Amino acid sequence: MKVTPLELKKADFKRGFRGFKKEEVQNLLASAAETLEELIRENKELNEQLARLGERVKNFEDMEKTINETLI
């Protein structure tokens, strides 16, 4: 089950007899949501960087092929 930061922020729990303190649960969920948002943002940046580096590798491979063909 995937959970989004928004779902964590809007989570609501049923109250039970002698249940958890609502404020502590909300603070933990808010902290988890912030961490999840940071990780999602970092993952996106890393994927973009990976794509850029993949293009650079492809360009270098093309140059290597051209140089090898020229030498032959």
Side-chain angles (χ1 to χ4, degrees), residues 14-56:
K14 295 178 183 174
R15 294 179 188 223
F17 181 73
R18 302 195 44 101
F20 295 108
K21 290 184 179 180
K22 188 174 182 178
E23 184 178 323
E24 289 180 7
V25 172
Q26 288 175 338
N27 289 340
L28 178 62
L29 288 173
S31 178
E34 288 176 20
T35 301
L36 186 56
E37 285 175 342
E38 289 173 19
L39 292 172
I40 289 169
R41 193 169 28 258
E42 181 181 352
N43 188 34
K44 181 181 176 187
E45 290 171 3
L46 289 172
N47 281 329
E48 289 170 356
Q49 182 181 8
L50 179 63
R52 286 191 307 270
L53 292 174
E55 284 296 316
R56 288 187 67 191

Side-chain angles (χ1 to χ4, degrees), residues 52-66:
R52 286 191 307 270
L53 292 174
E55 284 296 316
R56 288 187 67 191
V57 167
K58 184 180 180 310
N59 290 336
F60 286 124
E61 288 172 343
D62 291 343
M63 285 192 301
E64 178 186 29
K65 181 181 175 186
T66 302

